[in-house]
Amino acid sequence: MTGYGGRRSQAERDAITVEIGYALCSALFAAAVVFGAVAGPALLFELPDTLAVVLLRTGLVLAPVLFFARVVSVLIRFRRTAQPSQPGRTSPDS
């Protein structure tokens, strides 16, 4: 919603939609890279069973955690930058 409780414009809704899509896609990519880096050796090489299990489980834990953290951080950053400055006050970067 806008700063005064009104409805969002189409441009604001489109910006939110694009930002959500970016957050999900970048989080999926980051999670896949981390899973591949951690669990990849266990899938590609013959490692001792305990090491392979540890690598796979670590990858399975880290990937969703990173996915969630990336989505939240992108959306929080977008929410902070999308806020308009207060009327009548100068913005800190002017």
Side-chain angles (χ1 to χ4, degrees):
M1 294 228 224
T2 61
Y4 298 106
R7 298 187 67 154
R8 290 187 176 122
S9 68
Q10 184 64 42
E12 290 171 326
R13 290 193 307 264
D14 290 346
I16 291 168
T17 302
V18 167
E19 198 67 22
I20 290 170
Y22 168 72
L24 292 174
C25 289
S26 67
L28 181 65
F29 178 76
V33 167
V34 166
F35 179 78
V38 173
L43 299 172
L44 294 175
F45 304 115
E46 296 236 359
L47 299 174
D49 289 339
T50 56
L51 180 60
V53 168
V54 167
L55 287 175
L56 283 172
R57 288 184 180 168
T58 303
L60 287 173
V61 169
L62 285 179
V65 169
L66 178 65
F67 179 86
F68 179 73
R70 176 68 181 161
V71 168
V72 169
S73 70
V74 168
L75 295 179
I76 286 175
R77 185 176 48 214
F78 175 74
R79 187 173 140 218
R80 261 190 272 147
T81 59
Q83 297 289 332
S85 62
Q86 294 180 349
R89 295 190 179 183
T90 58
S91 62
D93 52 315
S94 62

